[in-house]
Amino acid sequence: MMKKCPECGSGEIVPNLIVFADDSANGLNPPYVKLVEPEPVKRPFVWVPKHVASGFRAAVCGACGHTEFYTNRHAEILEAHRKGYTSQTCSLNVIPIP
Ligand SMILES: [Zn+2]
């Protein structure tokens, strides 16, 4: 997490800020990342992929405005990444992504 601004060297960091997006009212649906379990080779009849998701907090340098996003769920995201989970669109995948 940013303790000192990599741009200007200031220690005046404002951490732990929720990141908003246009479609999210009152911070209820902030931007997030989501990693989804790959489909097994022998797919069971009933199979629902597991996933790990996380929103972001932002840290803003109070001296120059440099901003970094971070998550507190990094360990779960790393574990999911090591298990082969990938970041996917939320479409129904009817049309393949080019
Ligand atoms: Zn700065």
Side-chain angles (χ1 to χ4, degrees), residues 5 8 10 61 63-64 66:
C5 180
C8 75
S10 170
C61 173
C64 77
H66 174 81

Side-chain angles (χ1 to χ4, degrees), residues 4-80:
K4 186 177 165 189
C5 180
E7 290 296 319
C8 75
S10 170
E12 298 284 355
I13 305 302
V14 182
N16 214 32
L17 304 172
I18 293 174
V19 178
F20 293 93
D22 284 341
D23 289 339
S24 63
N26 302 319
L28 293 176
N29 295 300
Y32 62 96
V33 292
K34 181 177 178 182
L35 287 89
V36 181
E37 180 184 28
E39 187 173 320
V41 178
K42 293 183 179 178
R43 179 181 173 147
F45 182 68
V46 176
W47 179 76
V48 177
K50 294 181 205 149
H51 70 270
V52 172
S54 177
F56 300 105
R57 297 290 171 133
V60 176
C61 173
C64 77
H66 174 81
T67 300
E68 290 187 356
F69 291 163
Y70 64 93
T71 172
N72 294 325
R73 301 192 67 190
H74 49 88
E76 292 164 76
I77 289 171
L78 179 60
E79 185 185 348

